[in-house]
């Protein structure tokens, strides 16, 4: 058995999300990042942000974006993860990545991000994957660095005052651009 592959990962199913998936996707994303349920996983933002992470309208916008897709990841018919891919010229943007808190730390994230990279490369011929991460999330950034992403130092201010993104608990939040080469130039 390949020890780099988590048990049961061969049974993961990747598909494009539909509008009907929006309520379940919102629940998944919220459970991974906000509130007490998120504290059972390691990707919680509960100490940085309160309030919502997303809503059904935001999820549906991603699902229906003409230059993107939202991948729903299922195991044995149960939604356990999702991620957004958006085509941006020679690059793809990776976002809205959530793994059910009880499944975090089991290696699924590695498998899912690798599949997202493959999908973006094969679907759009892109050579780079980009993402933004809250710069204060050092443990999460380190996880992405172990997957080959590099910090750019390019920061975008957090949208303070726009509660669609949550209610900040600190005044020093910003998003940092991370990039990874995923194909030949």
């Amino acid at each position: 058995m390949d020890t780099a592959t988590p048990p049961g990962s061969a049974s993961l199913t990747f598909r494009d999300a539909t509008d009907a998936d929006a309520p379940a996707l919102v629940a998944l994303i919220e459970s991974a990042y906000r509130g007490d349920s998120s504290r059972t996983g390691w990707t919680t933002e509960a100490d940085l942000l309160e309030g919502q992470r997303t809503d059904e309208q935001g999820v549906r916008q991603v699902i229906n974006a003409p230059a993107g897709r939202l991948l729903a990841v299922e195991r044995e018919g149960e939604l356990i993860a999702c991620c957004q891919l958006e085509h941006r010229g020679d690059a793809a943007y990776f976002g809205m990545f959530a793994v059910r808190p009880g499944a975090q730390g089991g290696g699924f994230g590695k498998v899912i991000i690798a599949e997202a990279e493959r999908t973006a490369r094969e679907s759009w011929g892109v050579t780079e994957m980009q993402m933004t991460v809250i710069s204060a999330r050092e443990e999460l950034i380190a996880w992405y660095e172990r997957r080959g992403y590099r910090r750019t130092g390019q920061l975008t201010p957090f949208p303070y005052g726009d509660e669609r993104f949550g209610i900040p608990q600190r005044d020093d939040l910003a998003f940092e651009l991370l990039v990874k080469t995923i194909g030949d130039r």
Side-chain angles (χ1 to χ4, degrees):
M1 175 196 256
D2 179 2
T3 57
T5 303
S9 67
S11 65
L12 293 180
T13 302
F14 295 81
R15 63 173 178 81
D16 287 334
T18 66
D19 282 336
D21 294 314
L25 289 164
V26 169
L28 168 68
I29 294 162
E30 293 296 317
S31 74
Y33 288 98
R34 302 288 166 79
D36 288 336
S37 66
S38 71
R39 295 181 193 280
T40 63
W42 68 273
T43 62
T44 185
E45 295 173 343
D47 295 329
L48 301 175
L49 296 157
E50 291 182 354
Q52 72 178 24
R53 179 109 184 324
T54 192
D55 58 22
E56 285 188 34
Q57 178 183 355
V59 168
R60 284 191 176 96
Q61 286 174 337
V62 173
I63 288 169
N64 295 303
R69 55 203 301 188
L70 184 59
L71 296 179
V73 184
E74 296 175 333
R75 182 179 60 181
E76 298 174 5
E78 179 186 357
L79 180 68
I80 66 158
C82 67
C83 65
Q84 169 192 12
L85 293 172
E86 182 180 316
H87 187 198
R88 296 182 177 177
D90 289 339
Y93 178 80
F94 177 80
M96 209 173 272
F97 185 30
V99 176
R100 184 174 308 284
Q104 291 177 17
F108 291 109
K110 291 181 238 184
V111 173
I112 294 164
I113 198 167
E115 177 64 13
E117 292 166 359
R118 186 198 65 75
T119 298
R121 198 173 44 249
E122 291 183 6
S123 297
W124 300 314
V126 297
T127 57
E128 183 176 86
M129 188 75 90
Q130 302 174 347
M131 69 175 74
T132 55
V133 179
I134 295 174
S135 59
R137 304 281 321 275
E138 293 294 337
E139 184 180 6
L140 182 59
I141 290 171
W143 186 86
Y144 284 121
E145 288 177 317
R146 291 190 299 275
R147 312 275 101 51
Y149 287 81
R150 65 177 175 76
R151 298 180 88 156
T152 65
Q154 183 179 334
L155 299 177
T156 304
F158 186 86
Y160 285 92
D162 188 343
E163 291 188 7
R164 290 177 304 155
F165 300 97
I167 303 166
Q169 302 304 294
R170 298 170 42 162
D171 62 3
D172 64 344
L173 300 180
F175 295 105
E176 183 170 358
L177 177 68
L178 305 181
V179 298
K180 178 181 179 181
T181 300
I182 61 169
D184 296 331
R185 291 213 180 268

